[in-house]
Amino acid sequence: MGEPETSTATVLILDFGAQYSQLIARRVRESNVYSEIVPHDTPWEELEARKPAAVILTGGPESTLAADAPGVDPRLYTSGIPLLGICYGLQLIARDLGGELVRSANREFGPATLEIVREDPLFAGVPQQSRAWMSHGDTVLAPPSGFAVLARTQQCEIAAIGARQRRIYGVQFHTEVVHTEAGKRVIANFLHDVAEIPPSWRLGSFVDRSVAEIREEVGDGRVICALSGGVDSAVAATLVSRAVGDQLSCIFVDTGLLRKDEAATVVATFRDVLHLRIVPVDARERFLARLSGIVDPEEKRIAIGHEFIAVFEEEAARLPDVGFLVQGTLYPDVIESKTPASKAGHKIKSHHNVGGLPERMSLRLIEPLRALFKDEVRKLGHVLGLPHAVVERQPFPGPGLAVRVLGDVTAERLETLRAADAIVTTEIEAAELDPRPWQYFAVLTPLQSVGVMGDGRTYANLVAVRAITSEDGMTADWARLPASLLERISTRIVNEVPGINRVAYDITSKPPATVEWE
Ligand code: XMP
């Protein structure tokens, strides 16, 4: 586990709806200081009660000059808490403390040369000139009294201001994006030099802190979680079990829609290696019966989601006095669920989760990962000692293989897909590609075509192979797999999997296609 924590300092990031708020949180954690994002309208009493070691105000889509512009409680400015405003945050500070602002005639977007005009600890170690990323409409014309102008760009005379004694700073450029050369340094300077927070936070400290918090919240209550085999639920469950041990029961539902050997591996790993209390539920027949006759992709997803919740509820009801439900919600999920329906776009697919359960079962939610990103969760998984296969497992859809068996979902067709999929997975992993595709799998289509095997005619199914590169699954490109690898995959599938006589490789990006075929 990481080095011991010498400080429990938390930096609170007041989110004004910036595109990059999560990146700010990340940069702060990369400076070895713990941070959390909170909504900008969090009441002052709540903020103060958390005793933040510093506060950062993010950018945002609004103009501070608009009548209903979101703001901060003025007590923040007199509290003595070190404060850094970024973009909209800077403009708020300037507006609230008596500076002068204007809606610019020429909005500034993209790279600019940042020039330091006055020495200050905020810019310690930053070259006189560096590239910075700008994106703003409003501009500060004059700083509030007591504030010095620290930096400029060609188009923006006031790109950074500071009141050193009061420990209040504002920058117009985006410190959090990689294109801003001095970004990391400015954030680190603010945290370590201005706010005097030691760089002592490690992911290991996150474990200690979470375990203590969960223990406090749960007391001697009983906790359940749904284990899927995925990294998020695994890390969340492991953290909770560190805190409350056997008070946690992990329900693992075998839907029969998992990959080859997956159900057995998940149960063995979590029970025998991680020593979690597992409640395995064999619901294979039940899911098959529920899916019988359904061929429409959306109907399949909805049926599986409902069935999953029904099984989970029944199993949970067998456990006495359950009060809490653990979920592996990540920061991007938190943000997505906050997005107003009008902005969320059209629904493409119904993703399945156990979202409605806490209210229905009157359970309290424990979401220990809600401040983290996927790659941070993976690191945390390693810190917690989870097996590599669990931590680095590729994403897998909630409805499982049902959305990769196009058309009717039957036990036989699932078996065919599992065999083909195992070949795809084994061959791609054995090829040790660098980088390895983000996700790779087989899809069983209902399409039949003519072939010849030995001296006989065949009329059998087509399997599609899908391998993609992606950062986050939101957009994707098809992976340029070596021809020799594709050849091995194709030959093996046709030779080894009964009922398949043709293999196609999916060369569509997302958009316009999606990653999964259904
Ligand atoms: P799509 O097909 O929407 O997939 O382009 C994007 C990513 O999400 C995964 N996926 C799901 N994940 N529940 C999940 O947790 C689901 O219902 C689901 N459907 C798709 C997909 O595998 C890809 O990584």
Side-chain angles (χ1 to χ4, degrees):
M1 208 147 65
E3 293 156 37
E5 187 174 27
T6 54
S7 143
T8 52
T10 296
V11 171
L12 291 181
I13 297 167
L14 295 198
D15 183 7
F16 288 90
Q19 233 177 323
Y20 301 121
S21 302
Q22 66 272 39
L23 280 180
I24 303 176
R26 232 194 132 101
R27 296 283 167 263
V28 174
R29 290 199 288 265
E30 281 169 4
S31 303
N32 298 111
V33 171
Y34 185 66
S35 76
E36 275 183 33
I37 300 176
V38 294
H40 67 82
D41 53 1
T42 307
W44 168 248
E45 288 71 22
E46 255 178 61
L47 291 181
E48 196 189 21
R50 298 204 54 188
K51 296 193 173 50
V55 166
I56 297 178
L57 309 177
T58 74
E62 316 284 339
S63 163
T64 54
L65 299 172
D68 53 353
V72 294
D73 192 299
R75 284 172 284 186
L76 177 61
Y77 298 119
T78 51
S79 64
I81 299 171
L83 186 62
L84 174 67
I86 298 174
C87 195
Y88 183 85
L90 155 82
Q91 293 159 14
L92 262 187
I93 292 171
R95 186 199 71 177
D96 291 351
L97 299 181
E100 212 180 301
L101 282 143
V102 67
R103 196 162 288 190
S104 311
N106 33 357
R107 296 153 72 89
E108 191 183 16
F109 290 107
T113 302
L114 182 76
E115 190 186 339
I116 296 170
V117 296
R118 188 190 170 108
E119 245 182 63
D120 189 277
L122 190 72
F123 287 105
V126 174
Q128 190 66 23
Q129 294 202 333
S130 62
R131 197 170 58 132
W133 201 259
M134 305 290 276
S135 168
H136 63 113
D138 297 350
T139 302
V140 178
L141 282 188
S145 82
F147 279 74
V149 176
L150 306 178
R152 62 186 292 273
T153 69
Q154 260 166 328
Q155 290 205 41
C156 177
E157 276 302 317
I158 302 184
I161 60 173
R164 199 164 156 182
Q165 296 304 323
R166 293 172 72 180
R167 303 201 288 180
I168 300 180
Y169 284 89
V171 295
Q172 185 56 71
F173 53 93
H174 287 268
T175 45
E176 66 279 19
V177 302
V178 288
H179 316 287
T180 297
E181 286 166 348
K184 250 182 130 159
R185 186 68 200 242
V186 166
I187 288 184
N189 286 345
F190 170 72
L191 297 169
H192 307 319
D193 300 336
V194 174
E196 298 177 284
I197 308 169
S200 57
W201 184 79
R202 301 284 182 281
L203 265 180
S205 335
F206 180 88
V207 174
D208 299 341
R209 176 197 292 248
S210 282
V211 162
E213 281 172 3
I214 295 165
R215 232 177 241 155
E216 161 105 26
E217 174 157 16
V218 169
D220 54 6
R222 300 216 37 179
V223 191
I224 48 168
C225 75
L227 210 54
S228 65
V231 60
D232 306 342
S233 65
V235 171
T238 309
L239 257 182
V240 174
S241 111
R242 281 270 172 98
V244 300
D246 269 1
Q247 286 161 253
L248 170 71
S249 301
C250 303
I251 298 175
F252 173 73
V253 180
D254 182 0
T255 57
L257 304 170
L258 298 177
R259 288 165 291 192
K260 190 160 181 271
D261 301 329
E262 195 167 17
T265 313
V266 170
V267 172
T269 308
F270 287 93
R271 185 163 55 202
D272 307 335
V273 182
L274 295 168
H275 308 292
L276 298 192
R277 181 194 280 238
I278 303 285
V279 183
V281 185
D282 182 355
R284 288 178 295 178
E285 293 289 330
R286 202 169 151 166
F287 274 85
L288 272 184
R290 185 75 163 78
L291 285 167
S292 164
I294 302 183
V295 294
D296 178 75
E298 197 55 19
E299 272 181 52
K300 272 187 198 174
R301 284 176 169 269
I302 288 166
I304 292 168
H306 287 172
E307 199 61 22
F308 188 89
I309 287 178
V311 173
F312 189 81
E313 269 183 328
E314 282 171 32
E315 291 304 320
R318 291 180 212 265
L319 302 167
D321 309 322
V322 174
F324 301 86
L325 173 71
V326 185
Q327 281 193 338
T329 319
L330 307 189
Y331 182 73
D333 311 329
V334 175
I335 286 303
E336 242 165 61
S337 60
K338 271 200 333 201
T339 312
S342 58
K343 288 193 191 158
H346 295 282
K347 183 160 94 180
I348 310 292
K349 297 177 186 184
S350 296
H351 277 213
H352 115 153
N353 55 35
V354 285
L357 272 180
E359 295 85 48
R360 277 176 63 157
M361 299 175 64
S362 52
L363 296 175
R364 279 169 63 187
L365 262 186
I366 301 180
E367 296 178 309
L369 313 179
R370 59 182 292 122
L372 304 182
F373 288 87
K374 191 86 173 184
D375 60 327
E376 292 178 310
V377 170
R378 290 215 158 98
K379 283 189 198 137
L380 189 58
H382 287 302
V383 169
L384 286 166
L386 262 60
H388 185 83
V390 173
V391 176
E392 300 301 334
R393 179 190 194 249
Q394 58 168 313
F396 187 63
L401 298 185
V403 293
R404 294 180 183 170
V405 167
L406 308 195
D408 260 336
V409 182
T410 64
E412 191 191 357
R413 298 190 73 219
L414 282 166
E415 215 36 64
T416 304
L417 175 61
R418 262 193 276 272
D421 187 67
I423 292 172
V424 173
T425 312
T426 318
E427 287 298 336
I428 290 182
E429 284 167 12
E432 294 185 358
L433 304 173
D434 186 21
R436 187 191 282 180
W438 199 74
Q439 207 173 356
Y440 39 94
F441 53 88
V443 177
L444 177 64
T445 79
L447 189 73
Q448 290 190 296
S449 71
V450 174
V452 54
M453 265 179 156
D455 289 325
R457 174 188 193 269
T458 58
Y459 189 56
N461 281 109
L462 170 79
V463 154
V465 175
R466 181 95 164 123
I468 56 149
T469 55
S470 178
E471 290 276 316
D472 50 14
M474 303 295 287
T475 57
D477 196 7
W478 57 279
R480 272 49 172 184
L481 296 186
S484 54
L485 173 59
L486 287 169
E487 181 189 332
R488 265 196 315 279
I489 290 173
S490 157
T491 310
R492 279 197 59 194
I493 291 178
V494 172
N495 283 314
E496 296 173 32
V497 184
I500 305 300
N501 68 349
R502 199 178 286 271
V503 176
Y505 188 51
D506 183 348
I507 52 167
T508 340
S509 59
K510 171 185 179 177
T514 51
V515 175
E516 303 292 343
W517 279 37
E518 284 195 336

